Amino acid sequence: MQSSLLPESSSFSESLKDLVVNVNSLAHQCEGDSQKLLALLRILETLHREIRSDMFEPSLPNTRNSLYEILREIEETGGWPYIERMKLQTLIQCLSEETPPNTELQETR
């Protein structure tokens, strides 16, 4: 995690670093298991959505100048946080690359 993305509070920064370490550790434990990794990604997406809608949006300032300040901060420190979803076509392409074309099942006798 880039240190420029961390807020100034050292205890908060340390908590965020611990969170990153824990999530990375869990992801590495799931490496190779697409079902577990998908579950992890879904949980992260849900957390992102809940934090954004239930906590971040209500905390936004209600004055034009204050709102401008936070928008400027977002722009200067890396933009809006976004969790990208894998496109279905990309997934299909990955699957088709793994399966040889014209593969027929052969009966064994």
Side-chain angles (χ1 to χ4, degrees), residues 56-73:
F56 178 73
E57 289 175 10
S59 76
L60 288 172
N62 56 9
T63 66
R64 184 178 296 189
N65 286 340
S66 298
L67 185 58
Y68 173 77
E69 291 297 320
I70 196 164
L71 290 174
R72 191 175 76 192
E73 173 72 18

Side-chain angles (χ1 to χ4, degrees), residues 6-68:
L6 296 175
E8 307 237 347
S9 166
S10 63
S11 66
F12 184 72
S13 294
E14 287 302 315
S15 294
L16 286 177
K17 287 177 186 176
D18 291 343
L19 177 64
V20 169
V21 168
N22 289 332
V23 170
N24 276 328
S25 175
L26 183 58
H28 284 292
Q29 290 172 27
C30 299
E31 197 167 356
D33 187 331
S34 58
Q35 293 294 322
K36 288 181 180 177
L37 289 167
L38 182 59
L40 177 60
L41 289 170
R42 285 180 174 156
I43 288 171
L44 291 172
E45 180 184 19
T46 299
L47 285 171
H48 176 267
R49 188 180 310 113
E50 288 173 0
I51 292 168
R52 186 201 68 229
S53 64
D54 297 346
M55 293 175 234
F56 178 73
E57 289 175 10
S59 76
L60 288 172
N62 56 9
T63 66
R64 184 178 296 189
N65 286 340
S66 298
L67 185 58
Y68 173 77

